[in-house]
């Protein structure tokens, strides 16, 4: 029987998947190869757009325009993507080292 996550990714969902716990689904998803996890994540994120509040989308677009103008006019300085990713990875790694009870 194919993996439940692969069945999800291919679009074939049966009753077994519907009764599956989130913990089991997460476990299977994390066992997928990196490319498959990315594909699954993209599908999940894409599905959320269907439920997005139009006002929220409009607000984000306005915020993006405002930030782009600030960078273009020199009012704000951009941070290189490499630096942002390095800092994000460091913060994520530090969070993973903290026991979940201490994060609350």
């Amino acid at each position: 029987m194919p993996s439940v996550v692969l069945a999800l990714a291919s679009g074939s969902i049966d009753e077994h998947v519907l009764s599956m716990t989130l913990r089991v689904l997460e476990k299977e998803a994390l066992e997928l190869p990196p490319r498959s996890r990315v594909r699954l994540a993209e599908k999940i994120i894409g599905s959320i757009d269907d439920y997005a509040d139009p006002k929220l989308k409009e607000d984000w677009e306005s915020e993006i325009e405002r930030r782009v103008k600030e960078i273009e006019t020199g009012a704000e300085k951009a941070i290189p993507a490499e630096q942002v990713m390095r800092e994000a990875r460091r913060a994520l790694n530090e969070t993973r080292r903290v026991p979940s009870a201490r994060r609350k």
Side-chain angles (χ1 to χ4, degrees):
M1 180 175 155
S3 162
V4 175
V5 173
L6 291 177
L8 270 175
S10 68
S12 60
I13 301 175
D14 62 11
E15 286 184 32
H16 174 71
V17 173
L18 297 176
S19 65
M20 177 183 260
T21 66
L22 180 58
R23 181 172 290 153
V24 172
L25 183 59
E26 288 174 350
K27 182 182 180 301
E28 281 203 38
L30 293 173
E31 290 173 359
L32 290 170
R35 283 185 179 206
S36 296
R37 289 194 315 262
V38 169
R39 182 172 174 218
L40 181 59
E42 288 172 344
K43 284 187 171 211
I44 292 170
I45 290 169
S47 73
I48 295 170
D49 290 341
D50 296 342
Y51 300 100
D53 178 358
K55 175 71 172 124
L56 182 62
K57 183 177 180 181
E58 182 182 310
D59 290 346
W60 268 115
E61 288 173 0
S62 296
E63 180 67 13
I64 291 167
E65 286 178 27
R66 181 186 69 75
R67 291 180 185 196
V68 167
K69 285 178 186 173
E70 287 178 345
I71 292 170
E72 290 174 343
T73 63
E76 289 291 334
K77 182 181 173 194
I79 301 172
E82 298 83 21
Q83 179 182 345
V84 171
M85 294 304 293
R86 188 172 47 250
E87 291 174 10
R89 284 186 189 102
R90 185 175 349 110
L92 180 59
N93 287 334
E94 288 173 8
T95 300
R96 287 179 175 163
R97 282 184 233 141
V98 176
S100 60
R102 290 180 52 200
R103 279 189 230 151
K104 294 179 182 179

